[in-house]
Amino acid sequence: MNTDDRKVAIVTGASRGIGAAVAERLARDGFVVVVNYAGGAAEAEALVRKIEAAGGRAVAAQADVSDPAAVRRVFDSAEAAFGGVDVLVNNAGIMKLAAIAEADDALFDSHVAVNLKGTFNALREAGKRLREGGRIINFSTSVIGLRLEKYGVYSATKAAVEALTAVMSKEMRGRSITVNAVAPGPTATALFLDGKSPELIDRMAKMNPLERLGTPEDIAAVVSFLAGPEGGWVNGQVLRANGGMD
């Protein structure tokens, strides 16, 4: 059981990138953090050690979020170890770019499985099991508003996440649970940087008036606000953390 009365946060896809920054920030904020990962076991374990070395508390939990039974096991283990779950951060996601006419079935199906079904699987568990006063934070993308070419399938799954966010915020009535989404703009992670030329990265960095890419820590700060005591009056919203891009 969680004997120190810290609140418990599950962060999906937390072995690297934005997810890892979110896990570190929530641990610094005083949460016990469940670091979910699909394949990056070594990275997840290294992150847990880093959090604990800084005085935080964390455990790694393997699960492919597209598998409902695996997601259930993460919640089961968190409840068994710590007594319950207070915060879900639905960060796990994939992004593979292709024009709609060129996208194959595997690209479409993988995006739906991870970005949409994976988010849904965790939402369903959280909806049944989150403790009173809990917080759910989903991940969307600012690309939805930009309508960038080759982002069609990715954007479609994230638009669906925004719809789930809005509806679930109403379905949690009576439990003091908020449901919001964070929609990052271009952020300096491997997911974003892979396969892009320096010229394209520079051009995208200058699309916002602050003229830089976001950092994982920028996004983690927004999640921290929504998960913390001062974010409790924000509900059913999509917070576009993108430097003013659009």
Side-chain angles (χ1 to χ4, degrees):
M1 292 290 287
N2 182 28
T3 56
D4 59 10
D5 293 326
R6 297 193 208 188
K7 290 188 174 180
V8 178
I10 294 173
V11 183
T12 68
S15 62
R16 61 186 184 135
I18 290 172
V22 168
E24 279 195 74
R25 176 59 187 264
L26 292 182
R28 205 160 71 239
D29 291 346
F31 288 91
V32 176
V33 180
V34 178
V35 176
N36 161 253
Y37 66 95
E43 291 170 304
E45 294 292 353
L47 178 60
V48 167
R49 289 194 297 273
K50 184 179 179 184
I51 287 170
E52 294 192 329
R57 192 168 174 200
V59 295
Q62 194 281 331
D64 179 342
V65 295
S66 68
D67 177 358
V71 173
R72 255 193 316 275
R73 285 195 297 272
V74 173
F75 276 80
D76 288 344
S77 61
E79 288 178 349
F82 307 119
V85 178
D86 302 283
V87 172
L88 166 67
V89 181
N90 254 327
N91 166 76
I94 61 170
M95 181 176 68
K96 301 171 187 174
L97 304 184
I100 290 167
E102 306 300 325
D104 60 20
D105 290 348
L107 182 146
F108 181 89
D109 291 346
S110 63
H111 278 79
V112 171
V114 177
N115 296 357
L116 179 52
K117 185 70 177 355
T119 296
F120 167 78
N121 287 337
L123 287 177
R124 181 166 55 185
E125 291 305 312
K128 295 172 183 173
R129 303 165 75 158
L130 228 58
R131 290 191 283 215
E132 179 100 4
R135 307 289 170 81
I136 295 171
I137 300 148
N138 295 324
F139 265 80
S140 180
T141 174
S142 288
V143 170
I144 292 173
L146 297 173
R147 300 182 177 92
L148 294 180
E149 295 169 39
K150 299 189 177 179
Y151 284 81
V153 174
Y154 174 74
S155 295
T157 59
K158 294 300 191 175
V161 168
E162 291 192 10
L164 290 173
T165 300
V167 171
M168 194 169 185
S169 69
K170 293 179 166 47
E171 293 177 346
M172 293 295 97
R173 180 184 295 274
R175 293 169 59 192
S176 300
I177 292 172
T178 65
V179 188
N180 294 289
V182 177
T187 305
T189 66
L191 182 75
F192 171 77
L193 297 172
D194 282 355
K196 292 185 174 70
S197 69
E199 294 77 20
L200 177 59
I201 291 167
D202 185 60
R203 191 161 75 246
M204 294 188 82
K206 288 186 165 56
M207 286 171 73
N208 72 69
L210 301 182
E211 296 190 329
R212 67 172 177 86
L213 294 177
T215 67
E217 291 73 24
D218 288 328
I219 309 306
V222 176
V223 174
S224 170
F225 165 69
L226 291 172
E230 295 181 343
W233 193 233
V234 180
N235 194 19
Q237 304 304 307
V238 179
L239 210 166
R240 305 204 178 282
N242 59 24
M245 178 176 284
D246 202 325

